[in-house]
Amino acid sequence: MSFFEPGQFVSHPHCPDWGIGQIQSVTGHRVTVNFENQGKVLINTMLVDLVVIE
């Protein structure tokens, strides 16, 4: 299981055209990410396995 925190950079495995996103907030399994090409998106990490950019 991955743990996410604000400030981390991630990508969406099914939507690569959204670009790199930065996590804004984390509440349980709900993560708000601000993607460079899509804007703010609320993601349920039980359904989507975000890829952390190291």
Side-chain angles (χ1 to χ4, degrees):
M1 175 177 208
S2 295
F3 292 96
F4 299 103
E5 34 183 65
Q8 283 181 306
F9 290 95
V10 296
S11 63
H12 191 299
H14 307 299
C15 303
D17 56 316
W18 287 6
I20 303 299
Q22 185 173 27
I23 295 177
Q24 304 297 301
S25 65
V26 180
T27 306
H29 296 293
R30 296 176 356 159
V31 177
T32 301
V33 183
N34 190 15
F35 289 97
E36 55 188 349
N37 300 324
Q38 183 68 22
K40 283 192 179 177
V41 180
L42 179 61
I43 294 175
N44 182 338
T45 58
M46 294 292 284
L47 303 176
V48 177
D49 190 21
L50 292 171
V51 179
V52 176
I53 307 297
E54 299 289 338

